C-alpha cells in the first residue's frame, strides 16, 4: 500500500475556506524574520475522500482492543468503556484551559482531588501525585523521591543500591539507574518468588530501596511480602511497589498494608484508559506521609471552605514532572471508570481477572509446560519449550495472528525459557477465552503435523513476518 505522500498530487486540496471578510495583514509582517519558514513545508496534497479512505484502510490493517482479544501479560489491555469517552468530551472538561485559574477550574480540580483520594485509598497510602505520564515515569518519580529522602537524611552518598528481583519489568532497573542508583538483582526461588535467604544476604546499610511487583510478573502473589518489606525497613531503605497492573488485588489487598512506601498505578492498564497508540498514558504515584513533602509540584488540594486548589508551596518538592497537570483527559476517564464500578465493582474486577487467568491455566496446562504450577493471580506464565518440536514460542505466537487473535507477551519474564505470559483481564467472555484456548491447542496440533505451518506464519496478515531485530536496531521510521 502506498503512503499518503506517494498518493499526493500537487495542487489537490481537501478543504474549502471562505475568503476572509476582515482586513488581514500579510503573515510575514507578524512573524519575526528569523522564525519565518523560507520554503513551504512538504505536506501531502489530497482530496478529503482520499485521505479518509487512506486512513480507513490503514486502520483495518491494525489490531486493537476493539478488534478482539488482546491478552498481553504484564501490560493489561482491557476494554475502554465508551462512557469514559462521553465524560472526557463534556465541554466543561474538554474546553478547559490549564491557565484559566483556580476559580474557573473548580470542577476539574474537584475531579483531580477526588480521583487522587480514590487511588490513594485503593492502595492504602497517604498522599498522591497525578502528574507522571507513564508507569515508567512514575517509577522515576519514585526513585527521585527516595533520593530526596536520603538527601534529607544525609545518607545519599552512603545508600547507593536498589534491589530488584530477577523477574522485574525492564523499566524498573532503568528507572533506578537513570536516578543514579546501582541495581542489584535478587534471585527468585523454585516457586517463582523472592528467595528470602538470598534476599536477606543482599540487604545491608547501602540499600536505598527495593522495587517489587506484587503479584509478581509470573502472576504469583509474594506471600512473604510483610517479611520482605520489614527486612528493607529494618535496614533503613524504602519499598517501592510497581502497581502498573493492580487488576489482581483491587479491593482485596493494599500495597500500603503490605509495607510499601511508594506505589505507582498505570491508569492505561488497571483503570481502563486507552493504552499504547491510543494514549497518552498516566502513571500517578502515591506515597506514605514521610515522603509526601517531596511529591511533584503542584498537588490538587481541598480547602477548609470546600473549594479546590493547587498547592505550589512545597519547598521540598522534587519539582515538576509534566507541563500543567499530566494527562488530564486520562484522569477524567479513570475517574469515570472507578465511579461507574464503585468499590464492589472494583473488587469484582479482580475476582474476574483472577478467575479468567486460572481458567486458561487449567485448560492449557496439558498443552504447554507450566513452570510454576499453583493458583495464579491475574496472569499465567507458560513455557513453550518442547510444545512443538522445531518451533519456538515466537512461531506459535505468529500463528495466532492467522486465527485473528493478538498473541500474548512472549519471552518475558526472562526467568522462564520460551515464556508465554497471558493476561486475559476481566473484560473478556467465556466464549472468547475458549476460542483463544482452542486456537492454541489447534496450533500445537498442526505444528506437530507440519512444523512449517508455524515457521512460516503469519500467512493471512497484511504483512508477513517482520524482522524484529532489524526493527529494534535500525530505528529508521521514514525513507
Ligand atoms: C507496563 C509496565 C510498566 C511501565 O509502564 P509504562 O506506562 O509502559 O511506562 C512498569 N511495570 C510493569 C510491571 C508494567 O507492566
Amino acid at each position: 500500500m502506498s503512503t499518503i505522500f506517494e498518493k499526493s498530487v500537487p495542487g489537490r486540496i481537501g478543504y474549502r475556506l471562505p475568503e476572509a471578510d476582515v482586513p488581514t495583514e500579510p503573515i510575514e509582517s507578524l512573524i519575526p524574520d528569523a522564525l519565518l519558514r523560507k520554503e513551504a513545508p512538504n505536506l501531502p496534497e489530497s482530496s478529503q475522500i482520499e485521505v479518509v479512505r487512506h486512513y480507513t484502510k490503514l486502520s483495518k490493517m491494525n489490531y486493537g482492543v476493539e478488534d478482539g482479544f488482546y491478552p498481553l501479560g504484564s501490560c493489561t489491555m482491557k476494554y475502554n468503556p465508551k462512557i469514559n469517552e462521553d465524560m472526557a468530551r463534556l465541554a466543561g472538561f474538554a474546553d478547559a484551559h490549564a491557565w484559566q485559574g483556580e476559580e474557573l477550574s473548580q470542577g476539574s480540580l474537584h475531579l483531580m482531588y477526588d480521583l487522587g483520594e480514590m487511588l490513594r485509598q485503593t492502595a492504602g497510602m497517604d498522599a498522591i501525585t497525578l502528574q507522571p505520564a507513564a508507569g515508567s515515569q512514575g517509577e522515576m518519580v519514585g526513585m527521585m523521591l527516595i533520593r530526596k529522602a536520603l538527601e534529607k537524611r544525609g545518607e545519599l552518598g552512603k545508600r547507593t543500591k536498589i534491589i530488584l528481583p530477577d523477574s522485574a519489568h525492564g523499566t524498573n532497573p532503568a528507572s533506578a539507574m537513570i536516578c543514579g542508583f546501582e541495581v542489584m538483582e535478587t534471585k527468585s526461588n523454585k516457586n517463582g518468588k523472592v528467595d528470602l535467604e538470598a534476599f536477606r544476604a543482599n540487604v545491608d546499610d547501602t540499600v536505598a530501596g527495593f522495587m517489587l511487583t506484587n503479584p509478581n510478573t509470573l502472576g504469583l502473589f509474594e506471600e512473604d511480602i510483610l517479611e520482605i518489606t520489614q527486612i528493607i525497613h529494618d535496614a533503613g531503605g524504602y519499598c517501592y511497589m510497581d502497581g502498573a497492573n493492580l487488576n489482581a488485588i483491587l479491593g482485596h489487598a493494599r500495597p500500603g498494608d503490605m509495607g510499601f512506601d511508594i506505589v505507582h498505578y498505570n491508569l492505561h492498564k488497571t483503570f481502563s484508559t486507552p493504552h499504547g497508540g491510543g494514549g497518552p498514558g498516566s502513571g500517578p504515584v502515591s506515597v506514605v506521609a514521610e515522603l509526601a513533602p517531596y511529591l511533584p509540584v503542584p498537588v490538587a488540594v481541598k480547602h477548609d471552605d470546600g473549594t479546590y486548589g493547587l498547592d505550589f508551596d512545597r519547598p521540598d518538592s522534587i519539582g515538576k514532572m509534566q507541563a500543567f497537570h499530566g494527562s488530564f483527559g486520562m484522569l477524567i476517564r479513570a475517574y469515570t471508570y472507578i465511579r461507574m464500578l464503585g468499590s464492589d465493582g472494583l473488587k469484582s474486577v479482580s475476582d474476574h481477572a483472577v478467575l479468567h487467568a486460572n481458567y486458561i491455566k487449567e485448560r492449557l496446562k496439558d498443552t504447554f509446560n507450566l513452570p510454576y504450577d499453583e493458583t495464579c493471580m491475574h496472569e499465567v506464565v507458560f513455557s513453550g519449550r518442547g510444545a512443538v518440536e522445531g518451533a519456538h514460542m515466537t512461531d506459535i505466537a505468529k500463528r495466532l495472528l492467522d486465527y485473528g487473535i493478538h498473541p500474548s507477551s512472549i519471552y518475558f519474564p526472562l526467568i522462564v525459557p520460551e515464556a508465554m505470559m497471558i493476561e486475559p483481564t476481566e473484560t473478556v467472555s467465556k466464549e472468547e477465552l475458549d476460542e483463544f484456548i482452542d486456537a492454541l491447542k489447534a496450533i500445537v496440533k498442526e505444528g506437530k503435523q507440519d512444523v512449517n505451518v508455524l515457521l512460516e506464519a503469519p500467512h493471512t496478515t497484511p504483512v508477513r513476518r517482520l524482522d524484529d531485530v532489524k526493527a529494534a536496531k535500525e530505528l529508521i521510521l521514514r525513507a
Side-chain angles (χ1 to χ4, degrees):
M1 193 176 146
S2 47
T3 66
I4 192 79
F5 282 91
E6 287 160 349
K7 288 193 177 134
S8 172
V9 175
R12 190 166 287 175
I13 54 169
Y15 65 90
R16 199 180 304 171
L17 295 175
E19 285 292 318
D21 57 2
V22 289
T24 54
E25 290 184 65
I27 194 89
E28 290 78 5
S29 67
L30 299 172
I31 298 175
D33 198 49
L35 299 178
L36 212 53
R37 215 187 325 242
K38 303 291 181 269
E39 276 170 45
N42 178 24
L43 295 175
E45 296 173 80
S46 295
S47 70
Q48 189 181 76
I49 188 66
E50 280 170 338
V51 174
V52 171
R53 284 181 182 150
H54 178 73
Y55 286 105
T56 302
K57 272 184 200 138
L58 276 183
S59 77
K60 288 182 185 165
M61 294 165 76
N62 202 356
Y63 188 97
V65 278
E66 297 188 348
D67 290 287
F69 192 42
Y70 210 131
L72 292 187
S74 190
C75 210
T76 310
M77 296 293 286
K78 65 170 83 171
Y79 174 60
N80 312 136
K82 294 300 156 226
I83 181 95
N84 293 2
E85 299 304 317
D86 274 0
M87 295 304 110
R89 282 165 179 70
L90 287 175
F93 290 133
D95 300 340
H97 194 284
W99 271 335
Q100 74 193 21
E102 289 181 18
E103 217 177 287
L104 296 175
S105 306
Q106 285 298 304
S108 301
L109 292 170
H110 187 168
L111 181 136
M112 285 170 64
Y113 178 81
D114 279 3
L115 175 65
E117 285 300 290
M118 295 189 295
L119 291 173
R120 179 181 77 66
Q121 287 165 15
T122 305
M125 306 301 267
D126 299 320
I128 191 163
T129 172
L130 303 172
Q131 257 180 54
S136 43
Q137 200 185 29
E139 294 170 25
M140 190 174 113
V141 165
M143 293 299 106
M144 289 169 76
L145 295 173
I146 293 178
R147 274 190 76 90
K148 188 77 184 190
L150 293 176
E151 190 190 312
K152 287 273 165 190
R153 282 163 47 179
E155 291 189 283
L156 190 53
K158 174 183 152 207
R159 296 188 177 270
T160 51
K161 78 183 178 196
I162 297 282
I163 304 179
L164 307 163
D166 51 9
S167 59
H169 192 267
T171 51
N172 292 181
S175 301
M177 290 190 71
I178 215 169
C179 290
F181 292 113
E182 290 156 31
V183 169
M184 175 182 238
E185 202 174 84
T186 194
K187 290 258 159 297
S188 300
N189 61 21
K190 63 176 188 342
N191 301 321
K193 298 173 196 165
V194 171
D195 184 324
L196 267 185
E197 287 320 302
F199 178 66
R200 247 193 218 100
N202 287 332
V203 177
D204 55 24
D205 61 4
T206 67
V207 170
F210 176 58
M211 294 178 92
L212 185 74
T213 308
N214 196 23
N216 66 27
T217 59
L218 293 165
L220 305 175
F221 192 82
E222 300 274 357
E223 293 126 5
D224 294 328
I225 189 60
L226 291 174
E227 203 171 338
I228 291 170
T229 51
Q230 190 62 49
I231 291 169
I232 292 291
H233 287 154
D234 288 347
Y238 295 95
C239 298
Y240 184 100
M241 161 120 166
D242 178 338
N245 313 282
L246 284 174
N247 260 6
I249 60 169
L250 282 179
H252 291 272
R254 306 190 306 169
D257 299 334
M258 300 177 203
F260 287 100
D261 304 295
I262 314 171
V263 53
H264 87 257
Y265 321 67
N266 276 23
L267 300 189
H268 48 292
K269 290 181 183 170
T270 311
F271 295 98
S272 84
T273 73
H275 192 157
S282 182
V285 174
S286 65
V287 294
V288 292
E290 181 196 339
L291 299 173
Y294 315 133
L295 286 174
V297 66
V299 172
V301 291
K302 184 174 184 177
H303 299 303
D304 291 341
D305 66 359
T307 62
Y308 298 87
L310 291 166
D311 179 14
F312 283 89
D313 184 18
R314 306 177 62 81
D316 288 330
S317 166
I318 57 167
K320 217 161 165 16
M321 294 306 296
Q322 281 293 319
F324 300 116
H325 314 299
S327 305
F328 179 68
M330 298 305 135
L331 307 183
I332 303 166
R333 290 168 174 84
Y335 174 87
T336 305
Y337 175 74
I338 296 174
R339 289 295 306 274
M340 287 299 291
L341 287 169
S343 53
D344 288 347
L346 286 183
K347 209 167 175 181
S348 83
V349 162
S350 293
D351 295 343
H352 286 93
V354 172
L355 177 65
H356 294 166
N358 278 285
Y359 181 72
I360 290 177
K361 174 173 80 74
E362 287 306 311
R363 280 208 58 205
L364 280 178
K365 72 180 189 186
D366 297 334
T367 309
F368 295 99
N369 174 259
L370 184 63
Y372 303 102
D373 187 3
E374 58 179 282
T375 305
C376 63
M377 299 295 286
H378 61 304
E379 57 196 2
V380 54
V381 179
F382 291 101
S383 168
R385 187 177 266 181
V388 179
E389 196 158 336
H392 287 284
M393 197 61 238
T394 193
D395 304 312
I396 294 172
K398 296 290 183 196
R399 183 64 178 146
L400 257 181
L401 296 170
D402 288 329
Y403 284 76
I405 299 174
H406 197 288
S408 63
S409 300
I410 54 174
Y411 299 108
F412 180 76
L414 305 177
I415 55 176
V416 172
E418 299 284 321
M420 171 169 55
M421 183 191 209
I422 305 168
E423 182 188 352
T425 84
E426 76 282 7
T427 61
V428 65
S429 66
K430 178 165 181 301
E431 293 75 30
E432 275 174 303
L433 289 172
D434 285 332
E435 192 187 324
F436 172 70
I437 292 162
D438 293 342
L440 278 172
K441 284 179 185 286
I443 289 168
V444 168
K445 199 166 161 199
E446 64 185 0
K448 282 180 174 161
Q449 280 158 7
D450 177 8
V451 74
N452 286 322
V453 176
L454 308 195
L455 300 185
E456 288 160 22
H459 302 265
T460 60
T461 46
V463 287
R464 299 288 300 273
R465 197 175 292 210
L466 301 172
D467 186 340
D468 314 0
V469 177
K470 191 175 164 71
K473 295 208 162 164
E474 293 175 32
L475 282 174
I476 303 164
L477 299 178
R478 55 182 187 176

